[in-house]
Amino acid sequence: MNLQAQSASGPSPYRILRETDLREYLAGLPAIVAQLGGAPADWSISEVGDGNLNLVFIVKGKSGGVAVKQALPYVRLVGESWPLPLSRAHYEHMALVHQARLAPDLVPAVLHHDGPLALTAMQLLEPHIIMRKGLIGAVSYPRFVDDISTFMARTLFFSSDLARGAAERKEGIAAFASNHALCKITEDLIFTDPYRIAEQNRWTAPYLDDTAAAFRDDLDLHVAISRLKLKFMASPEALIHGDLHTGSIMVTDSETRVIDPEFAFYGPMGFDIGAVIGNLLMAYLASAGHERTPGERAAFEAWLLDVVEGVWTEFARKFLALWRSEASGDGYPASLFTGEAGAARLEAERQAYMARLFQATVGFAAAKTIRRILGLAHNIDFEWIADEKQRAICEARALKLARSLMLEAPSFTTIATVTYAARELRHWQPHFAR
Amino acid sequence: MNLQAQSASGPSPYRILRETDLREYLAGLPAIVAQLGGAPADWSISEVGDGNLNLVFIVKGKSGGVAVKQALPYVRLVGESWPLPLSRAHYEHMALVHQARLAPDLVPAVLHHDGPLALTAMQLLEPHIIMRKGLIGAVSYPRFVDDISTFMARTLFFSSDLARGAAERKEGIAAFASNHALCKITEDLIFTDPYRIAEQNRWTAPYLDDTAAAFRDDLDLHVAISRLKLKFMASPEALIHGDLHTGSIMVTDSETRVIDPEFAFYGPMGFDIGAVIGNLLMAYLASAGHERTPGERAAFEAWLLDVVEGVWTEFARKFLALWRSEASGDGYPASLFTGEAGAARLEAERQAYMARLFQATVGFAAAKTIRRILGLAHNIDFEWIADEKQRAICEARALKLARSLMLEAPSFTTIATVTYAARELRHWQPHFAR
């Protein structure tokens, strides 16, 4: 269902807001006026969107601020030649409502949503910064493991067959099904393009030319990524965030907030968990490129690998705890696992379920890594390494790790085997033909 | 979306049709009048529904006949105490349209559909009989393997990620998502109840009392059936028929028609294929109970196992052929498998895909067998064996086969291993405590 189609006949009320329009619009919303304080004419408004898709305005008044996000009918990064449905703002809002109900302190509070304008006004996150930038600066975040594991355990568990009835889940799947233009971006840019010649691909040339060519010829990888793509397209395990990288997380020392769930739909849980872990592993292997003196970031890097381990371990612990205490879904009916023996067998199956989920997570973490080095959209973790050869060295390490994770996922049985593999590659020196 | 909710406000136009109403209703439909011929007053109308859910009328005129199916707002078998949405007629009609487009000669042609009345008029199938009845009479059907394998290969392939784009598939999944009341019947009656104490369960007592109790205590089985249930609920691989047993297939020597797809939704392909194979295996193991002299049905039984093998073999052959020639879906993009090496690797992956599908098929075949012997709805294959002990012997063989299939699915690597196991059990004598 295209949400735009729901509006009454006649000209669409959608228009791209400029600063003046926005000021006028917000002045008509009592809740926003109260949040901002002071006279509308005195509000400061600045457009700060540095993502690829939307407009983002920071509005500040006498007593407070709001962030206003408006979808554009095209991909901002590219322009009108790449149209993208406004309805993504509708799905983002639905996902935010889901997440706010389950993890209220871990997402920005929604203050106002306007469907026809594809606009959402949210709590302004201050002094939070994008986590990726903090990691590049070697800042560690003591709350992160606990917060992100809570966010994922609760949002994923409570939209799964373990927690919800099949009928309710089918209605949920249907409600997000038409967000497929956003899914298509993922399907192409993550699961297909990095493994073939695609105009939008780029990499740190010439150093990675041979590696990119090898990935395009690596049929084992092509089978593995194709299986992951099928899983992405047809495994509605939970309502996933869909784009849970460290650029979608804002942090301070004491707070974590997940933003930008416009890619949300019912998909495989491992895609979210793998996104977090893959991006942390990239931060780890990019770290060497940000050193001014050898070893100066060693403590930070050790912390990062602890975080990788903690993210999975704590996620699994919390997810299992929810499964043990709040399993009211149609999966694994309690009546089939009664008594002491039944409880023990179900617990063994829970562990087996987590092992299967871990395998998927490892695969998706690898997929997220490869696309950021050989595909269209790159991470500043690597991009901000000014020395191109040094950048390519860091990227080659990450690609080597990712290839191993994707092809040998079953041999990575615990998260410690993953961090071990990353640590082993920290000082590996690739040989570039050029 | 509840389709009933779409009708205009005011009293619902739905009413249960009696013979007189139906005659008047059909007389207003020129296509039906032309099909039947003669004066409406001379049409013969008889209600013949022997399924569990709906009214079915056979209407005959001077020159032809039609079958008219109307959904009731409850389960016919049980009555008004078990309500069931009329919208199932809408989903059945959508599924029939899908099937008729892909396998036009293998489903009854739809002549008329009335959404608000939850009514569909179809081509009358004459002199077809329900295949299950033919099999009980030891009749073999030379067209069956070719027809059912075509039906499944085409309806499943062309609604899969191998043939369709992800966006189109997501819209399809959403369009069938609200058929969840019918899915719920499957979830309960097939994947849960036979493995626990449930009021509606029955079995051939007292002979199978111990077996039924053992299945209720068999935690390995409970894990296996729970994994299959999860797969049923959250694997929208294709638009499946959803109830493809030998009672949903009408046959003559020269024709095969699949009827009654009201359980249709996007689910795992193996559920349909397993339904066919499981029901043929039941026909095979029930056959001994229909012997008047030992061995008189030996040739028929040998044919049945050939059919089991043929159903999988021909399905796999046709599905693979479609994949090789008509793969325009988003799964396994051609651009990742270019050149001779790519083609070879993709072909190897196709075989691996079929092996995974076969494992699921074996599991679902087992699930379909167990529910027909220990659950609510039984098959006349067994029920028509008047001697209860003899019936129990046949059923015990089928249960032993099914348990083995479900728990050791990975060891059944080819369909020949499945028919071998069935053949081995043909003369096995269970020992009943009572």
Side-chain angles (χ1 to χ4, degrees), chain A residues 1 161-162 166-171 173-181 183-184 187-188 191-193 195-197 216 219-220 222-223 225-227 229-230 232-237 265-266 330-333 335-338 341-343 345-346 349 352-353 356, chain B residues 1-2 161-162 166-171 173-181 183-184 187-188 191-193 195-196 216 219-220 222-223 225-227 229-230 232-237 265-266 330-333 335-338 341-343 345-346 349 352-353 356:
Chain A
M1 183 175 57
D161 275 315
L162 305 174
E168 186 186 349
R169 274 187 30 90
K170 288 202 173 73
E171 296 292 349
I173 291 166
F176 280 88
S178 291
N179 200 21
H180 45 62
C183 291
K184 171 79 172 155
E187 288 151 20
D188 289 344
F191 294 106
T192 316
D193 288 351
Y195 306 88
R196 65 178 173 190
I197 292 175
R216 290 196 305 270
L219 292 169
D220 290 336
H222 294 196
V223 167
I225 196 69
S226 294
R227 289 188 186 183
K229 185 180 182 183
L230 266 191
F232 180 78
M233 293 192 293
S235 295
E237 295 172 354
F265 79 116
Y266 277 77
D330 281 331
Y332 294 99
S335 54
L336 297 194
F337 299 96
T338 56
R345 192 69 179 80
L346 180 55
E349 175 60 9
Y353 179 103
R356 296 193 292 274
Chain B
M1 183 176 57
N2 184 325
D161 276 314
L162 305 173
E168 186 186 347
R169 276 190 26 91
K170 287 204 173 75
E171 296 292 348
I173 291 166
F176 280 87
S178 292
N179 201 19
H180 46 62
C183 291
K184 170 80 172 157
E187 288 151 20
D188 288 345
F191 294 105
T192 316
D193 288 351
Y195 305 87
R196 66 178 173 188
R216 292 196 303 271
L219 292 168
D220 289 338
H222 294 197
V223 167
I225 196 68
S226 295
R227 289 188 187 183
K229 185 180 182 183
L230 266 191
F232 179 80
M233 293 191 294
S235 295
E237 294 172 355
F265 79 115
Y266 277 77
D330 282 330
Y332 295 101
S335 54
L336 297 193
F337 299 95
T338 56
R345 192 67 179 81
L346 180 56
E349 175 60 8
Y353 180 102
R356 296 193 292 273

Side-chain angles (χ1 to χ4, degrees), chain A residues 22-23 25-27 29-37 43-48 56-69 108-112 119-126:
Chain A
L22 181 63
R23 189 184 306 275
Y25 177 80
L26 295 177
L29 301 170
I32 302 289
V33 172
Q35 169 76 17
L36 291 169
W43 296 341
S44 73
I45 301 185
S46 50
E47 204 284 311
V48 299
V56 180
F57 298 91
I58 303 296
V59 186
K60 291 190 184 177
K62 195 169 173 181
S63 55
V66 301
V68 179
K69 184 170 177 181
V110 171
L111 303 170
H112 174 73
L119 175 151
T120 304
M122 287 166 281
Q123 172 190 20
L124 180 64
L125 300 175
E126 267 189 333

Side-chain angles (χ1 to χ4, degrees), chain B residues 269-290:
Chain B
M269 301 185 192
F271 189 75
D272 271 6
I273 317 163
V276 172
I277 287 175
N279 278 275
L280 291 169
L281 291 171
M282 281 189 272
Y284 171 73
L285 289 170
S287 179
H290 301 293

Side-chain angles (χ1 to χ4, degrees), chain B residues 71-92:
Chain B
L72 294 168
Y74 47 81
V75 175
R76 180 181 187 163
L77 177 71
V78 177
E80 297 188 22
S81 64
W82 186 344
L84 199 62
L86 296 171
S87 59
R88 66 186 187 273
H90 163 74
Y91 299 109
E92 176 167 9

